[in-house]
Amino acid sequence: MRRFAKYGALFLVVLLGFAFALDWAVTSGLRRSESFEYAEWNAIVNGEASAEIIIHGSSRSWVGLSPEIIGRQLDMTAYNLGVDGYPLAMQLARHRLYQKYNEDPRIILLCLDTYSLNDRADLYNNNQFLPYLDEEIIRDAVQPYDYFHWYDYSLPLVRYRGKVELIGRGLAELLNVKHYTNGKIRGYEAQEREWNDEFDRWLEQHPDGVDQVYLERLVSELDGFLAECGRDGIMVVLIYPPEFWQARDMVNNREEILSIYRDLAVKHQVQFLDYSYDAMAYSTEYFYNSQHLNKLGAEMFSAKLGGDLDDLLNPGGGEAAESR
Amino acid sequence: MLFNSYEFLIFFPVVTVLYFLLPHKYRWAMLLVASCVFYMAFIPIYILVLFATIVIDYVAAIYIAKSTGRRRKVLLAAGVVPIVLILAVFKYLDFLSGSFGAIANAFGLHYPIGVINIILPLGLSFHTFQGLSYVIEVYRGRQEPERHPGIFAVYVMFYPQLVAGPIERPSNLLHQFREVHGFDAQRVVDGLKLMLWGLFKKMVIADRLAVFVGEVYGAPEAHSGLGLALATLFFAIQIYCDFSGYSDIAIGAAQVMGFRLMTNFNRPYHAVSLSEFWKRWHISLSTWFRDYLYIPLGGNRVPKWRWQFNLFVTFLVSGLWHGANWTFVIWGALHGFYLILGLWTRGARETAARVTRLERHRTIRRMLGAVWVFVLVCFAWIFFRAESLDQAVLIVRRLFGGWQLHPSYVSATLDKMGVSAVDVVILLLSIGFMELVHLWQSSEEERRLFARSRAPVRWLIGYGLVFAILVAGVFSNNQFIYFQF
């Protein structure tokens, strides 16, 4: 029995050692990756995302706001940290992680929509969180989804179980066999796509429109975030990018949600720039679906937003405004 | 509770440690409680069904042992009929009702009884058969009735083999609950290795193949003949790895505590004849049918036509045992037909072997035989896996069309099935490794060589298996296929 226990323990110790080594290798590799899932997270945790303007939001942000165009117009550095598929809670978690490893920005552009104050039921694209499960901010952000368990956090390699392709990618990165990249530039990727039939299909399923859910918890979070930024001297601009007009009018409680944004903007003395009635909203030429701007729309909108921000920052017509 | 669940990862060591810590006289009680916990992790209320079958078997066996003559037969019927009725109600009522309804509709008659959708208690077909074998063995005088109700209950409920076998005989298992099992390190290690091997087959091979098989069999009309053939081939491997994986875990878990369960699989796809296949596949069930149906029907000690009838009936019932669906009946009938065809063509095949001089090349003949048996078994699996008879017929019809072996076509077919390049590599490596192990298992000399190999080599293989499961396993808590029976 004693011999069995001794050899059993030895077997387990060696096993754990191998598992720790492989976990470390995969995590280190993935933390070098510039693939779609990891590029922004890695830029953040490696302190490479510092910029004067930080853009937060969901996919409507990373496909719709070009940091290059906005930054050029304001003569500032900019980075788009829009997190694909997630509403406000995850966006704010990403911001907290940004603050931990990067310099505070001067300006935060927070892209909002009627879905921002909702929460999704699933932990969408959950692979993107795996290399950062040791970050408390990430652990707190994913905890409500009940997707990861104690063993994912505590036992080596268990978080990567069954993810053979991801393990391969991590090792390939670590060993410099292959470097994974994506088409984003400072978090923004232009979508050279034309209007598709997604909205028509959606319309067939929802002929009477939808009531968008908003959570008081997230209203409070947004409130707290704006207050905190105010204390830290960070200027926040709330932005509602254009959405296709027919879809806009299909959210039955739209005004109710927008009034929350307006009230918070007044409360914290921040600007709320609402482009949902902009001329762009009436042409499919600028969108690839009802919520997302295509390349033409994104570049036109970014230029427009840059100009408006310049007016805000330099009401008398500052240097950046003059050079335009 | 699934063997491939995190709950079992806690449950198994706790139960095992408790088993060795407790004095022998309390072990049966601990095993009984553990088995109840294990079973109640599924649908707790169904434990009452299990208890009902235990009580019937227990009481019937005691009274059978006490009685003689015609009364003994009546008591046997009193023990067997209620169990068969329980099985029939839970498993076949909807099937029978649906079949009567279809017949009534065909004759333009009104059939008022609709489908009840009864959920089958887990492992019902397995533990009822185990209980029946006990009652029959007592009736035949080969087994003393067990008077300790607790020990009898744990014989029926023993958690490693409760939900999917192996279906044990009382002569093999019952007395083991009275044996004092000391801690034997080598036995424990061997049991753990077997469990690991079973998990590897289940999680790395079977569950990976299940995704592609499900994709094709979910919409067979969308796939070409090549896709359907590949999915059927995949299913043949999936069901073997799934069920033999389960059996290995069950046998291994029991072995750790000192129990010896019967072998359930013995490299069935290496069989060179259909009869050999059935000596190697789900051995505990095929021997059950042999002992309690085929032989009582007369076996092969009857006129040839009757022998063939007995074979056919046995396989028909075996098909029906698997599930209440005509697809299973056809599957069983096909195997019965294969065996009868084998009897009819035995002479012709011997002559063909002589003429082609294949009889001189035993290895080639055996390989050809194994391939042929595998093809026949795969064909029958179509009926086993298909969701309905119509679907099975559709698959068989489409199977022979849309075949191209051009690499780009094969690649496009695999793509459509959802098989990626990584999947191909994992499957080739893991199935190749499994076949190596099968070859090693088939040779006593190789086995001894492995046992004598240095600890680091054996450990390395252990680590290899653990990491293969961790890295390439499918962790979606997939049920074992045979749980549905």
Side-chain angles (χ1 to χ4, degrees):
Chain A
M1 178 74 122
R2 193 173 292 171
R3 195 163 170 261
F4 173 83
K6 193 176 87 181
Y7 280 103
L10 185 61
F11 183 88
L12 281 178
V13 166
V14 176
L15 184 71
L16 280 174
F18 278 136
F20 266 116
L22 191 53
D23 186 287
W24 171 85
V26 174
T27 303
S28 305
L30 291 176
R31 282 186 169 218
R32 292 180 186 184
S33 175
E34 288 183 82
S35 65
F36 181 82
E37 301 99 314
Y38 301 114
E40 276 64 54
W41 291 115
N42 284 340
I44 290 170
V45 296
N46 294 330
E48 293 163 357
S50 291
E52 290 164 290
I53 304 171
I54 286 298
I55 304 165
H56 285 302
S58 62
S59 58
R60 269 160 57 75
S61 163
W62 72 261
V63 304
L65 279 81
S66 162
E68 202 184 353
I69 295 172
I70 295 168
R72 196 168 52 230
Q73 284 188 274
L74 298 175
D75 199 19
M76 291 184 195
T77 54
Y79 210 118
N80 192 327
L81 294 180
V83 52
D84 194 52
Y86 282 96
L88 193 70
M90 189 61 75
Q91 296 166 21
L92 296 185
R94 183 172 267 196
H95 180 70
R96 284 193 290 278
L97 198 65
Y98 170 88
Q99 281 184 308
K100 184 177 171 187
Y101 291 104
N102 299 269
E103 289 170 22
D104 273 353
R106 282 176 58 192
I107 303 171
I108 292 173
L109 307 180
L110 180 58
C111 286
L112 297 168
D113 50 49
T114 53
Y115 180 60
S116 297
L117 298 175
N118 199 345
D119 226 343
R120 57 182 309 146
D122 61 325
L123 192 65
Y124 166 70
N125 192 6
N126 46 64
N127 280 355
Q128 67 180 304
F129 304 110
L130 291 174
Y132 319 104
L133 288 185
D134 52 339
E135 292 283 352
E136 202 178 337
I137 293 169
I138 295 292
R139 278 208 300 268
D140 289 346
V142 299
Q143 188 268 335
Y145 296 93
D146 207 19
Y147 182 83
F148 295 114
H149 305 283
W150 66 267
Y151 38 80
D152 293 304
Y153 302 114
S154 314
L155 299 175
L157 201 64
V158 171
R159 57 178 149 172
Y160 296 112
R161 65 190 179 280
K163 297 184 188 293
V164 64
E165 287 183 89
L166 199 64
I167 292 170
R169 273 167 63 182
L171 294 177
E173 287 278 3
L174 185 77
L175 302 171
N176 290 323
V177 175
K178 189 174 176 184
H179 181 53
Y180 292 84
T181 56
N182 75 100
K184 287 186 190 171
I185 298 167
R186 294 185 76 77
Y188 161 76
E189 187 175 3
Q191 304 293 306
E192 289 197 79
R193 297 154 80 176
E194 290 186 355
W195 180 258
N196 59 33
D197 64 348
E198 274 175 44
F199 179 62
D200 297 327
R201 281 187 277 132
W202 184 89
L203 208 55
E204 278 173 27
Q205 289 166 7
H206 306 91
D208 301 323
V210 290
D211 286 314
Q212 196 62 266
V213 174
Y214 64 90
L215 306 169
E216 283 302 331
R217 172 176 56 83
L218 291 176
V219 176
S220 301
E221 265 203 63
L222 181 56
D223 189 17
F225 170 72
L226 294 174
E228 188 187 313
C229 288
R231 279 197 302 275
D232 295 346
I234 300 169
M235 177 184 176
V236 179
V237 182
L238 304 178
I239 294 164
Y240 201 111
E243 63 181 325
F244 186 59
W245 69 275
Q246 274 184 297
R248 178 192 69 202
D249 295 346
M250 294 301 286
V251 179
N252 302 326
N253 58 339
R254 188 172 188 281
E255 265 315 302
E256 198 182 340
I257 295 171
L258 259 74
S259 68
I260 295 172
Y261 298 148
R262 284 191 205 104
D263 292 348
L264 285 174
V266 171
K267 182 180 173 188
H268 296 282
Q269 294 179 311
V270 301
Q271 287 291 326
F272 176 40
L273 304 180
D274 180 4
Y275 293 92
S276 47
Y277 286 86
D278 188 273
M280 286 177 73
Y282 296 90
S283 171
T284 55
E285 194 186 356
Y286 302 114
F287 297 88
Y288 66 87
N289 63 27
S290 67
Q291 298 301 311
H292 296 96
L293 294 164
N294 60 18
K295 182 174 190 268
L296 180 68
E299 287 178 359
M300 189 186 256
F301 173 61
S302 299
K304 189 177 286 189
L305 177 65
D308 292 344
L309 289 171
D310 193 18
D311 291 343
L312 263 179
L313 294 168
N314 308 291
E319 199 179 308
E322 278 166 19
S323 69
R324 207 168 50 244
Chain B
M1 197 180 299
L2 297 171
F3 282 160
N4 53 336
S5 67
Y6 295 105
E7 291 81 7
F8 187 72
L9 216 55
I10 308 287
F11 174 88
F12 171 71
V14 168
V15 171
T16 306
V17 168
L18 277 177
Y19 183 79
F20 285 118
L21 287 180
L22 282 171
H24 173 67
K25 60 180 176 178
Y26 300 125
R27 284 178 174 177
W28 68 266
M30 193 280 296
L31 280 180
L32 187 59
V33 172
S35 299
C36 289
V37 171
F38 183 85
Y39 191 79
M40 289 170 77
F42 298 104
I43 301 177
I45 191 75
Y46 276 173
I47 193 115
L48 297 178
V49 179
L50 185 53
F51 279 145
T53 62
I54 289 170
V55 170
I56 293 167
D57 289 334
Y58 175 77
V59 174
I62 286 177
Y63 280 100
I64 288 169
K66 281 182 190 167
S67 56
T68 52
R70 191 177 153 70
R71 187 175 149 78
R72 202 172 161 84
K73 266 191 181 160
V74 172
L75 284 166
L76 174 67
V80 170
V81 171
I83 302 292
V84 174
L85 272 178
I86 289 173
L87 192 58
V89 166
F90 280 101
K91 193 162 181 173
Y92 301 107
L93 195 63
D94 275 340
F95 170 64
L96 290 173
S97 179
S99 300
F100 287 139
I103 293 166
N105 278 342
F107 287 97
L109 300 170
H110 174 64
Y111 184 76
I113 303 168
V115 174
I116 307 167
N117 278 331
I118 302 171
I119 300 172
L120 181 71
L122 205 69
L124 185 70
S125 310
F126 289 90
H127 65 75
T128 49
F129 267 41
Q130 185 155 315
L132 284 177
S133 79
Y134 164 76
V135 174
I136 297 168
E137 290 297 307
V138 171
Y139 169 78
R140 288 176 176 173
R142 294 179 191 162
Q143 174 70 38
E144 281 297 309
E146 175 57 60
R147 298 194 183 271
H148 191 308
I151 286 185
F152 179 69
V154 83
Y155 158 73
V156 178
M157 291 187 67
F158 188 41
Y159 86 83
Q161 41 93 244
L162 171 59
V163 289
I167 303 167
E168 282 295 339
R169 305 304 151 74
S171 56
N172 181 45
L173 185 59
L174 199 47
H175 65 91
Q176 292 190 48
F177 293 103
R178 296 190 185 280
E179 288 173 6
V180 181
H181 299 131
F183 185 89
D184 177 344
Q186 190 53 51
R187 191 196 65 220
V188 170
V189 170
D190 287 346
L192 291 174
K193 277 197 275 191
L194 197 55
M195 292 175 77
L196 194 60
W197 178 235
L199 274 176
F200 172 83
K201 285 195 278 185
K202 165 70 177 162
M203 293 175 74
V204 179
I205 305 178
D207 286 352
R208 189 166 291 274
L209 288 170
V211 179
F212 318 129
V213 174
E215 174 72 30
V216 176
Y217 271 76
E221 64 285 350
H223 292 271
S224 65
L226 178 62
L228 293 167
L230 279 173
T232 305
L233 167 72
F234 285 178
F235 180 67
I237 301 168
Q238 181 205 340
I239 194 168
Y240 167 68
C241 289
D242 190 285
F243 196 18
S244 73
Y246 174 89
S247 299
D248 286 345
I249 300 169
I251 295 166
Q255 189 177 340
V256 167
M257 291 184 285
F259 293 91
R260 300 167 301 281
L261 300 185
M262 69 184 292
T263 304
N264 219 13
F265 289 87
N266 180 19
R267 297 171 289 115
Y269 292 141
H270 290 195
V272 298
S273 70
L274 252 304
S275 55
E276 190 189 344
F277 174 81
W278 280 106
K279 284 176 188 139
R280 290 164 171 262
W281 179 275
H282 200 177
I283 298 165
S284 66
L285 180 73
S286 46
T287 50
W288 196 100
F289 276 117
R290 181 198 65 198
D291 295 344
Y292 303 118
L293 182 64
Y294 176 68
I295 290 174
L297 282 172
N300 60 358
R301 294 179 181 180
V302 284
K304 201 172 177 184
W305 71 267
R306 180 61 200 263
W307 174 22
Q308 290 164 8
F309 173 80
N310 292 347
L311 271 177
F312 194 74
V313 167
T314 303
F315 278 93
L316 212 58
V317 176
S318 163
L320 202 58
W321 176 89
H322 280 85
N325 195 321
W326 288 107
T327 50
F328 293 115
V329 178
I330 300 289
W331 172 78
L334 261 176
H335 274 281
F337 175 69
Y338 287 161
L339 284 168
I340 293 167
L341 201 65
L343 293 176
W344 288 348
T345 59
R346 185 184 285 168
R349 283 183 287 126
E350 292 299 328
T351 310
R354 237 186 350 264
V355 172
T356 56
R357 297 185 179 177
L358 262 178
E359 63 177 2
R360 293 183 193 172
H361 305 281
R362 197 166 166 268
T363 310
I364 295 174
R365 194 180 171 190
R366 286 183 66 81
M367 281 170 70
L368 286 174
V371 170
W372 180 235
V373 167
F374 185 66
V375 169
L376 290 177
V377 169
C378 281
F379 183 77
W381 285 136
I382 294 173
F383 291 87
F384 192 95
R385 179 60 181 80
E387 276 149 31
S388 68
L389 213 48
D390 289 344
Q391 197 195 59
V393 171
L394 176 92
I395 292 168
V396 172
R397 276 192 184 153
R398 289 182 69 94
L399 198 60
F400 301 102
W403 275 80
Q404 287 178 42
L405 291 176
H406 190 274
S408 63
Y409 184 78
V410 175
S411 164
T413 305
L414 288 171
D415 263 359
K416 198 172 178 188
M417 295 168 74
V419 184
S420 69
V422 172
D423 292 318
V424 171
V425 172
I426 291 174
L427 288 171
L428 285 176
L429 286 176
S430 51
I431 295 169
F433 179 66
M434 181 175 71
E435 276 309 298
L436 268 179
V437 172
H438 282 162
L439 286 174
W440 162 75
Q441 284 173 331
S442 67
S443 157
E444 190 60 37
E445 197 180 326
E446 296 289 322
R447 255 190 299 202
R448 257 188 257 126
L449 199 69
F450 178 73
R452 280 203 306 268
S453 64
R454 288 178 178 275
V457 176
R458 283 180 276 132
W459 280 34
L460 218 55
I461 293 172
Y463 289 133
L465 281 179
V466 173
F467 279 100
I469 293 168
L470 209 50
V471 171
V474 175
F475 288 81
S476 50
N477 268 9
N478 280 344
Q479 274 215 353
F480 289 86
I481 294 174
Y482 266 67
F483 274 25
Q484 62 184 298
F485 308 135

